[in-house]
mmCIF file with all atom_site columns, all heavy atoms in Angstrom:
data_model
loop_
_atom_site.group_PDB
_atom_site.id
_atom_site.type_symbol
_atom_site.label_atom_id
_atom_site.label_alt_id
_atom_site.label_comp_id
_atom_site.label_asym_id
_atom_site.label_entity_id
_atom_site.label_seq_id
_atom_site.pdbx_PDB_ins_code
_atom_site.Cartn_x
_atom_site.Cartn_y
_atom_site.Cartn_z
_atom_site.occupancy
_atom_site.B_iso_or_equiv
_atom_site.pdbx_formal_charge
_atom_site.auth_seq_id
_atom_site.auth_comp_id
_atom_site.auth_asym_id
_atom_site.auth_atom_id
_atom_site.pdbx_PDB_model_num
ATOM 1   N N   . ALA A 1 206 ? -22.232 116.539 -29.072 1.00 98.00 ? 206 ALA A N   1
ATOM 2   C CA  . ALA A 1 206 ? -21.139 116.953 -29.963 1.00 98.00 ? 206 ALA A CA  1
ATOM 3   C C   . ALA A 1 206 ? -21.417 116.498 -31.398 1.00 98.00 ? 206 ALA A C   1
ATOM 4   O O   . ALA A 1 206 ? -21.157 117.242 -32.353 1.00 98.00 ? 206 ALA A O   1
ATOM 5   C CB  . ALA A 1 206 ? -19.810 116.382 -29.456 1.00 98.00 ? 206 ALA A CB  1
ATOM 6   N N   . LEU A 1 207 ? -21.968 115.308 -31.562 1.00 98.00 ? 207 LEU A N   1
ATOM 7   C CA  . LEU A 1 207 ? -22.287 114.831 -32.918 1.00 98.00 ? 207 LEU A CA  1
ATOM 8   C C   . LEU A 1 207 ? -23.419 115.652 -33.525 1.00 98.00 ? 207 LEU A C   1
ATOM 9   O O   . LEU A 1 207 ? -23.400 115.963 -34.719 1.00 98.00 ? 207 LEU A O   1
ATOM 10  C CB  . LEU A 1 207 ? -22.686 113.352 -32.882 1.00 98.00 ? 207 LEU A CB  1
ATOM 11  C CG  . LEU A 1 207 ? -21.582 112.359 -32.506 1.00 98.00 ? 207 LEU A CG  1
ATOM 12  C CD1 . LEU A 1 207 ? -22.178 110.952 -32.412 1.00 98.00 ? 207 LEU A CD1 1
ATOM 13  C CD2 . LEU A 1 207 ? -20.432 112.371 -33.514 1.00 98.00 ? 207 LEU A CD2 1
ATOM 14  N N   . ALA A 1 208 ? -24.395 115.986 -32.694 1.00 95.00 ? 208 ALA A N   1
ATOM 15  C CA  . ALA A 1 208 ? -25.552 116.732 -33.209 1.00 95.00 ? 208 ALA A CA  1
ATOM 16  C C   . ALA A 1 208 ? -25.162 118.119 -33.713 1.00 95.00 ? 208 ALA A C   1
ATOM 17  O O   . ALA A 1 208 ? -25.879 118.733 -34.482 1.00 95.00 ? 208 ALA A O   1
ATOM 18  C CB  . ALA A 1 208 ? -26.633 116.830 -32.130 1.00 95.00 ? 208 ALA A CB  1
ATOM 19  N N   . GLU A 1 209 ? -24.001 118.624 -33.265 1.00 95.00 ? 209 GLU A N   1
ATOM 20  C CA  . GLU A 1 209 ? -23.518 119.937 -33.729 1.00 95.00 ? 209 GLU A CA  1
ATOM 21  C C   . GLU A 1 209 ? -22.903 119.879 -35.122 1.00 95.00 ? 209 GLU A C   1
ATOM 22  O O   . GLU A 1 209 ? -22.648 120.923 -35.719 1.00 95.00 ? 209 GLU A O   1
ATOM 23  C CB  . GLU A 1 209 ? -22.394 120.440 -32.807 1.00 95.00 ? 209 GLU A CB  1
ATOM 24  C CG  . GLU A 1 209 ? -22.713 120.475 -31.344 1.00 95.00 ? 209 GLU A CG  1
ATOM 25  C CD  . GLU A 1 209 ? -23.319 121.789 -30.941 1.00 95.00 ? 209 GLU A CD  1
ATOM 26  O OE1 . GLU A 1 209 ? -22.632 122.811 -31.033 1.00 95.00 ? 209 GLU A OE1 1
ATOM 27  O OE2 . GLU A 1 209 ? -24.517 121.764 -30.567 1.00 95.00 ? 209 GLU A OE2 1
ATOM 28  N N   . GLN A 1 210 ? -22.610 118.686 -35.611 1.00 97.00 ? 210 GLN A N   1
ATOM 29  C CA  . GLN A 1 210 ? -21.866 118.582 -36.877 1.00 97.00 ? 210 GLN A CA  1
ATOM 30  C C   . GLN A 1 210 ? -22.801 118.784 -38.065 1.00 97.00 ? 210 GLN A C   1
ATOM 31  O O   . GLN A 1 210 ? -24.002 118.529 -37.973 1.00 97.00 ? 210 GLN A O   1
ATOM 32  C CB  . GLN A 1 210 ? -21.160 117.215 -36.976 1.00 97.00 ? 210 GLN A CB  1
ATOM 33  C CG  . GLN A 1 210 ? -20.281 116.889 -35.772 1.00 97.00 ? 210 GLN A CG  1
ATOM 34  C CD  . GLN A 1 210 ? -19.279 117.998 -35.456 1.00 97.00 ? 210 GLN A CD  1
ATOM 35  O OE1 . GLN A 1 210 ? -18.637 118.544 -36.359 1.00 97.00 ? 210 GLN A OE1 1
ATOM 36  N NE2 . GLN A 1 210 ? -19.151 118.336 -34.185 1.00 97.00 ? 210 GLN A NE2 1
ATOM 37  N N   . SER A 1 211 ? -22.218 119.215 -39.187 1.00 95.00 ? 211 SER A N   1
ATOM 38  C CA  . SER A 1 211 ? -23.072 119.514 -40.339 1.00 95.00 ? 211 SER A CA  1
ATOM 39  C C   . SER A 1 211 ? -23.594 118.238 -41.003 1.00 95.00 ? 211 SER A C   1
ATOM 40  O O   . SER A 1 211 ? -24.690 118.231 -41.541 1.00 95.00 ? 211 SER A O   1
ATOM 41  C CB  . SER A 1 211 ? -22.305 120.368 -41.345 1.00 95.00 ? 211 SER A CB  1
ATOM 42  O OG  . SER A 1 211 ? -21.103 119.720 -41.691 1.00 95.00 ? 211 SER A OG  1
ATOM 43  N N   . ILE A 1 212 ? -22.824 117.144 -40.963 1.00 93.00 ? 212 ILE A N   1
ATOM 44  C CA  . ILE A 1 212 ? -23.309 115.879 -41.541 1.00 93.00 ? 212 ILE A CA  1
ATOM 45  C C   . ILE A 1 212 ? -24.050 115.122 -40.432 1.00 93.00 ? 212 ILE A C   1
ATOM 46  O O   . ILE A 1 212 ? -23.550 115.040 -39.313 1.00 93.00 ? 212 ILE A O   1
ATOM 47  C CB  . ILE A 1 212 ? -22.136 114.968 -41.996 1.00 93.00 ? 212 ILE A CB  1
ATOM 48  C CG1 . ILE A 1 212 ? -21.083 115.750 -42.766 1.00 93.00 ? 212 ILE A CG1 1
ATOM 49  C CG2 . ILE A 1 212 ? -22.630 113.775 -42.785 1.00 93.00 ? 212 ILE A CG2 1
ATOM 50  C CD1 . ILE A 1 212 ? -19.889 114.889 -43.187 1.00 93.00 ? 212 ILE A CD1 1
ATOM 51  N N   . PRO A 1 213 ? -25.240 114.567 -40.720 1.00 98.00 ? 213 PRO A N   1
ATOM 52  C CA  . PRO A 1 213 ? -25.878 113.740 -39.683 1.00 98.00 ? 213 PRO A CA  1
ATOM 53  C C   . PRO A 1 213 ? -25.049 112.502 -39.397 1.00 98.00 ? 213 PRO A C   1
ATOM 54  O O   . PRO A 1 213 ? -24.626 111.796 -40.321 1.00 98.00 ? 213 PRO A O   1
ATOM 55  C CB  . PRO A 1 213 ? -27.234 113.368 -40.295 1.00 98.00 ? 213 PRO A CB  1
ATOM 56  C CG  . PRO A 1 213 ? -27.204 113.796 -41.710 1.00 98.00 ? 213 PRO A CG  1
ATOM 57  C CD  . PRO A 1 213 ? -26.018 114.657 -41.956 1.00 98.00 ? 213 PRO A CD  1
ATOM 58  N N   . ILE A 1 214 ? -24.774 112.253 -38.127 1.00 98.00 ? 214 ILE A N   1
ATOM 59  C CA  . ILE A 1 214 ? -23.983 111.078 -37.731 1.00 98.00 ? 214 ILE A CA  1
ATOM 60  C C   . ILE A 1 214 ? -24.844 110.215 -36.822 1.00 98.00 ? 214 ILE A C   1
ATOM 61  O O   . ILE A 1 214 ? -25.296 110.660 -35.765 1.00 98.00 ? 214 ILE A O   1
ATOM 62  C CB  . ILE A 1 214 ? -22.670 111.500 -37.040 1.00 98.00 ? 214 ILE A CB  1
ATOM 63  C CG1 . ILE A 1 214 ? -21.827 112.375 -37.982 1.00 98.00 ? 214 ILE A CG1 1
ATOM 64  C CG2 . ILE A 1 214 ? -21.882 110.259 -36.592 1.00 98.00 ? 214 ILE A CG2 1
ATOM 65  C CD1 . ILE A 1 214 ? -20.528 112.888 -37.395 1.00 98.00 ? 214 ILE A CD1 1
ATOM 66  N N   . GLN A 1 215 ? -25.080 108.982 -37.264 1.00 98.00 ? 215 GLN A N   1
ATOM 67  C CA  . GLN A 1 215 ? -25.875 108.060 -36.450 1.00 98.00 ? 215 GLN A CA  1
ATOM 68  C C   . GLN A 1 215 ? -25.040 107.602 -35.261 1.00 98.00 ? 215 GLN A C   1
ATOM 69  O O   . GLN A 1 215 ? -23.847 107.328 -35.408 1.00 98.00 ? 215 GLN A O   1
ATOM 70  C CB  . GLN A 1 215 ? -26.296 106.860 -37.316 1.00 98.00 ? 215 GLN A CB  1
ATOM 71  C CG  . GLN A 1 215 ? -27.350 106.018 -36.657 1.00 98.00 ? 215 GLN A CG  1
ATOM 72  C CD  . GLN A 1 215 ? -28.009 105.016 -37.604 1.00 98.00 ? 215 GLN A CD  1
ATOM 73  O OE1 . GLN A 1 215 ? -28.351 103.922 -37.175 1.00 98.00 ? 215 GLN A OE1 1
ATOM 74  N NE2 . GLN A 1 215 ? -28.188 105.361 -38.864 1.00 98.00 ? 215 GLN A NE2 1
ATOM 75  N N   . LEU A 1 216 ? -25.670 107.506 -34.074 1.00 98.00 ? 216 LEU A N   1
ATOM 76  C CA  . LEU A 1 216 ? -24.927 107.155 -32.855 1.00 98.00 ? 216 LEU A CA  1
ATOM 77  C C   . LEU A 1 216 ? -25.463 105.870 -32.248 1.00 98.00 ? 216 LEU A C   1
ATOM 78  O O   . LEU A 1 216 ? -26.650 105.772 -31.916 1.00 98.00 ? 216 LEU A O   1
ATOM 79  C CB  . LEU A 1 216 ? -25.031 108.305 -31.833 1.00 98.00 ? 216 LEU A CB  1
ATOM 80  C CG  . LEU A 1 216 ? -24.404 108.033 -30.455 1.00 98.00 ? 216 LEU A CG  1
ATOM 81  C CD1 . LEU A 1 216 ? -22.903 107.711 -30.564 1.00 98.00 ? 216 LEU A CD1 1
ATOM 82  C CD2 . LEU A 1 216 ? -24.614 109.221 -29.515 1.00 98.00 ? 216 LEU A CD2 1
ATOM 83  N N   . ASP A 1 217 ? -24.578 104.889 -32.135 1.00 98.00 ? 217 ASP A N   1
ATOM 84  C CA  . ASP A 1 217 ? -24.887 103.644 -31.422 1.00 98.00 ? 217 ASP A CA  1
ATOM 85  C C   . ASP A 1 217 ? -24.164 103.666 -30.082 1.00 98.00 ? 217 ASP A C   1
ATOM 86  O O   . ASP A 1 217 ? -22.933 103.785 -30.027 1.00 98.00 ? 217 ASP A O   1
ATOM 87  C CB  . ASP A 1 217 ? -24.429 102.426 -32.233 1.00 98.00 ? 217 ASP A CB  1
ATOM 88  C CG  . ASP A 1 217 ? -24.735 101.118 -31.497 1.00 98.00 ? 217 ASP A CG  1
ATOM 89  O OD1 . ASP A 1 217 ? -25.913 100.771 -31.368 1.00 98.00 ? 217 ASP A OD1 1
ATOM 90  O OD2 . ASP A 1 217 ? -23.778 100.454 -31.029 1.00 98.00 ? 217 ASP A OD2 1
ATOM 91  N N   . LEU A 1 218 ? -24.938 103.575 -28.996 1.00 98.00 ? 218 LEU A N   1
ATOM 92  C CA  . LEU A 1 218 ? -24.366 103.577 -27.652 1.00 98.00 ? 218 LEU A CA  1
ATOM 93  C C   . LEU A 1 218 ? -23.979 102.131 -27.316 1.00 98.00 ? 218 LEU A C   1
ATOM 94  O O   . LEU A 1 218 ? -24.837 101.304 -27.029 1.00 98.00 ? 218 LEU A O   1
ATOM 95  C CB  . LEU A 1 218 ? -25.392 104.082 -26.635 1.00 98.00 ? 218 LEU A CB  1
ATOM 96  C CG  . LEU A 1 218 ? -26.253 105.283 -27.047 1.00 98.00 ? 218 LEU A CG  1
ATOM 97  C CD1 . LEU A 1 218 ? -27.297 105.580 -25.970 1.00 98.00 ? 218 LEU A CD1 1
ATOM 98  C CD2 . LEU A 1 218 ? -25.396 106.504 -27.305 1.00 98.00 ? 218 LEU A CD2 1
ATOM 99  N N   . CYS A 1 219 ? -22.683 101.858 -27.348 1.00 98.00 ? 219 CYS A N   1
ATOM 100 C CA  . CYS A 1 219 ? -22.227 100.486 -27.076 1.00 98.00 ? 219 CYS A CA  1
ATOM 101 C C   . CYS A 1 219 ? -22.022 100.352 -25.566 1.00 98.00 ? 219 CYS A C   1
ATOM 102 O O   . CYS A 1 219 ? -20.900 100.248 -25.066 1.00 98.00 ? 219 CYS A O   1
ATOM 103 C CB  . CYS A 1 219 ? -20.955 100.184 -27.859 1.00 98.00 ? 219 CYS A CB  1
ATOM 104 S SG  . CYS A 1 219 ? -20.413 98.482  -27.660 1.00 98.00 ? 219 CYS A SG  1
ATOM 105 N N   . ILE A 1 220 ? -23.129 100.387 -24.830 1.00 98.00 ? 220 ILE A N   1
ATOM 106 C CA  . ILE A 1 220 ? -23.103 100.530 -23.368 1.00 98.00 ? 220 ILE A CA  1
ATOM 107 C C   . ILE A 1 220 ? -23.445 99.226  -22.658 1.00 98.00 ? 220 ILE A C   1
ATOM 108 O O   . ILE A 1 220 ? -23.585 99.183  -21.437 1.00 98.00 ? 220 ILE A O   1
ATOM 109 C CB  . ILE A 1 220 ? -24.034 101.699 -22.954 1.00 98.00 ? 220 ILE A CB  1
ATOM 110 C CG1 . ILE A 1 220 ? -23.888 102.108 -21.499 1.00 98.00 ? 220 ILE A CG1 1
ATOM 111 C CG2 . ILE A 1 220 ? -25.482 101.404 -23.324 1.00 98.00 ? 220 ILE A CG2 1
ATOM 112 C CD1 . ILE A 1 220 ? -24.672 103.346 -21.111 1.00 98.00 ? 220 ILE A CD1 1
#
Side-chain angles (χ1 to χ4, degrees):
L207 293 176
E209 307 271 295
Q210 307 307 316
S211 55
I212 315 178
I214 301 178
Q215 192 167 145
L216 175 59
D217 180 69
L218 319 175
C219 184
I220 191 173

